[in-house]
Amino acid sequence: QAVQVVRSGANQLYPGKDFYIISYDLLQRHPKFQECNGKKFEVVICDESHLLKNWHAQRTCQVVPVLEAARRAVLISGSPALNNAFELYPQLSALLPDFFTCPNAFGERYCCRDEWRGQVRFTGSVRPKELRQILSGICVRRSKGEVLSELPAKRWRTIPLALEVPSVLDSLQCSGLQEDDLEGQGYQSMYARVGLAKADLVADYIETLVDSSQDDKMLVFFHHEMVGNIIENKLKQLKVAHVRIDGKTPQTQRDSDVARFQDEPCVRIALLSITTCCLGLTLTAASTIVFAELYSVPKIMEQAEDRAHRIGQTKSVDVHYLVAHGTVDDRILASLAKKQVELRPLLDSNKADGALPDGALPAVRASARPLAQNAAMRGKTNAPQVRTVRSPALSGGPPIAREEKQVSAACSKKQPIMLSDSEEEEIRGQSSAIAPTMDDSDSDVEVSFDCGT
């Protein structure tokens, strides 16, 4: 009786309730839910808080003020940063509004800055040790291995698909795209065309898996609707019982489809949209996962895999990436590897600070370049001013006091120094050039947390 679940914009918040449960979308569309009878909420809990990753999105602009106004705020996420360190800024700003006051200053400090289509954007992750020290004061993180030590392992394999017709393969080459263009219309068009070109081969591969085992269930992930249609038509021809869940599937039907897949032995395949079904579903009846298409966000791929790799799973989970080499799939694989290496030292405290596997170094070459540029600029500018930021009591104490160093306009618009490969390799040899930390001369912030009592 103390809980109200808000299900539509026509609802009103009843003043006699202690707890209100509402979706991000309803809160975004109806500002009236940001307070109850003119009073701010005492405690705000945000599940899947990584959905606030885009600082300019309407969702973030509506939710963050509610978090800042609350006396207590709790953010819950298994993957707080999906792509890069800058996606942490809205969440950190909501928890420590007086600590991070400027998104550009945060981006300049902890990310690689570049320009794309005339716009400044922040990518990658730098100074992971320093940022992780800040996170340690407000973040409690436990890995799946710590929570579910008995969970069987995941195994990955890449299955090459041969697009045998030369004219088809030539038309799918991505050489005309810009090197960092993974968002533009040219990439999206090529991405869809590659998915359609692979669809029949994917369907044949799924048929092989179905024939090789009469009992095992599998999850098949796709991104484009037409790709899902081709695979589903193949399953209907084979008379393989299956369920399909995508953005057009009503919520009530999703629940019944999940129950059918989990409980009915005859339902062999769950055909799923990557972006729609990467969260909230438990499909542990499957032990094989097939990605008909790739997706350039590593944490989305990981979350999709975890629909089967979660509590209740008793078998090892086999993950199959179906790849058409020589197409945009190669670029997506490289992007996935690059982002995984960048996020690893930031989110996993048990990893060596700034340590990169030898084989991964070429994949992060582009994002490591700004670090080398910073190292080359040392000695050419005045020593940075050191400031100390202290939090007397993060657990409910007085507001955070800080001495803010203004970021000059000239600094925010500075152009990077371009280095030759030989110059960059020379700088890489210096231990402090690649991974600046709290102790480096390039670090101008000393952060200390004194939580007191």
Side-chain angles (χ1 to χ4, degrees):
Q1 297 300 318
V3 180
Q4 179 184 356
V5 180
V6 181
R7 302 188 183 278
S8 74
N11 292 153
Q12 299 293 330
L13 297 183
Y14 301 133
K17 303 295 183 179
D18 295 326
F19 302 93
Y20 303 91
I21 301 175
I22 188 171
S23 69
Y24 285 114
D25 291 337
L26 281 175
L27 188 65
Q28 171 188 333
R29 296 198 304 266
H30 303 281
K32 67 179 181 179
F33 293 131
Q34 294 183 9
E35 57 184 28
C36 181
N37 291 335
K39 296 181 179 180
K40 304 295 184 181
F41 294 103
E42 289 287 313
V43 180
V44 178
I45 302 174
C46 286
D47 190 25
E48 306 294 0
S49 62
H50 60 268
L51 296 175
L52 306 177
K53 64 187 179 72
N54 187 345
W55 178 247
H56 299 290
Q58 284 294 321
R59 172 189 294 161
T60 305
C61 294
Q62 296 294 335
V63 175
V64 168
V66 179
L67 290 165
E68 292 178 338
R71 189 169 63 90
R72 303 283 187 190
V74 180
L75 306 183
I76 305 173
S77 176
S79 304
L82 300 178
N83 283 287
N84 53 64
F86 192 66
E87 293 178 348
L88 291 170
Y89 175 76
Q91 300 168 75
L92 292 176
S93 175
L95 295 177
L96 302 173
D98 296 324
F99 196 104
F100 299 108
T101 58
C102 176
N104 287 336
F106 180 91
E108 294 279 358
R109 181 77 199 160
Y110 299 112
C111 306
C112 303
R113 178 184 183 275
D114 62 9
E115 293 188 6
W116 184 71
R117 295 186 174 183
Q119 300 291 326
V120 174
R121 66 175 184 178
F122 297 106
T123 61
S125 171
V126 299
R127 298 183 177 88
K129 182 178 178 181
E130 179 179 307
L131 184 52
R132 195 167 64 240
Q133 184 175 351
I134 297 173
L135 287 170
S136 67
I138 57 174
C139 176
V140 177
R141 181 170 174 84
R142 299 180 69 193
S143 67
K144 180 180 290 187
E146 294 171 320
V147 179
L148 301 173
S149 58
E150 74 283 358
L151 195 64
K154 280 193 291 187
R155 299 177 295 191
W156 296 267
R157 63 186 72 187
T158 300
I159 309 299
L161 300 180
L163 301 179
E164 298 177 353
V165 181
S167 60
V168 173
L169 184 58
D170 291 343
S171 69
L172 297 177
Q173 297 292 328
C174 55
S175 56
L177 301 178
Q178 295 296 323
E179 183 176 353
D180 58 352
D181 186 0
L182 286 181
E183 301 175 16
Q185 293 182 352
Y187 164 77
Q188 294 296 339
S189 174
M190 187 65 68
Y191 182 29
R193 291 174 59 198
V194 170
L196 290 173
K198 292 165 52 180
D200 287 328
L201 295 176
V202 171
D204 292 340
Y205 183 76
I206 294 172
E207 179 182 3
T208 301
L209 291 179
V210 171
D211 292 340
S212 64
S213 174
Q214 299 300 321
D215 299 321
D216 289 346
K217 296 190 177 191
M218 72 181 74
L219 310 181
V220 178
F221 284 98
F222 66 93
H223 181 59
H224 295 97
E225 182 180 1
M226 288 298 297
V227 176
N229 293 342
I230 293 173
I231 298 174
E232 186 174 27
N233 289 336
K234 181 72 171 183
L235 295 177
K236 291 179 179 178
Q237 293 175 10
L238 298 173
K239 297 182 179 180
V240 176
H242 65 280
V243 297
R244 174 173 176 170
I245 303 176
D246 55 24
K248 295 182 178 180
T249 308
Q251 183 61 49
T252 54
Q253 184 179 337
R254 294 184 192 185
D255 296 339
S256 61
D257 286 344
V258 169
R260 284 188 60 211
F261 182 78
Q262 288 287 91
D263 300 333
E264 298 181 16
C266 63
V267 180
R268 299 283 306 280
I269 292 178
L271 188 58
L272 309 171
S273 165
I274 296 177
T275 52
T276 302
C277 301
C278 65
L279 296 173
L281 301 182
T282 297
L283 300 166
T284 51
S287 59
T288 300
I289 301 175
V290 177
F291 281 95
E293 297 181 89
L294 305 180
Y295 197 72
S296 61
V297 181
K299 291 299 181 181
I300 294 293
M301 296 284 284
E302 180 180 335
Q303 289 170 340
E305 296 169 2
D306 288 347
R307 297 313 93 206
H309 191 250
R310 58 197 300 111
I311 188 170
Q313 181 59 262
T314 59
K315 301 179 181 179
S316 295
V317 175
D318 287 326
V319 182
H320 301 233
Y321 286 8
L322 274 54
V323 178
H325 290 300
T327 70
V328 73
D329 277 2
D330 288 334
R331 185 164 296 179
I332 296 177
L333 284 175
S335 176
L336 288 171
K338 173 176 176 288
K339 292 175 181 178
Q340 285 174 335
V341 172
E342 290 171 343
L343 292 174
R344 182 185 291 113
L346 177 62
L347 299 179
D348 295 343
S349 59
N350 59 333
K351 302 295 182 182
D353 297 324
L356 302 177
D358 293 338
L361 192 57
V364 298
R365 185 179 187 85
S367 71
R369 184 180 293 273
L371 292 175
Q373 295 164 2
N374 291 340
M377 294 175 63
R378 293 181 185 173
K380 299 181 181 180
T381 59
N382 296 330
Q385 178 183 358
V386 176
R387 72 176 187 267
T388 301
V389 184
R390 300 185 184 277
S391 172
L394 283 178
S395 56
I400 295 173
R402 69 178 298 189
E403 294 181 5
E404 176 64 55
K405 184 180 72 172
Q406 299 296 328
V407 180
S408 66
C411 178
S412 64
K413 297 180 180 180
K414 64 184 179 184
Q415 297 297 317
I417 297 176
M418 300 306 296
L419 303 177
S420 66
D421 289 342
S422 59
E423 291 172 327
E424 183 175 338
E425 292 299 332
E426 180 180 354
I427 293 173
R428 285 178 185 274
Q430 304 174 15
S431 60
S432 63
I434 297 302
T437 66
M438 295 286 291
D439 302 323
D440 294 324
S441 59
D442 191 41
S443 179
D444 59 0
V445 179
E446 175 191 347
V447 182
S448 61
F449 289 100
D450 180 11
C451 293
T453 58

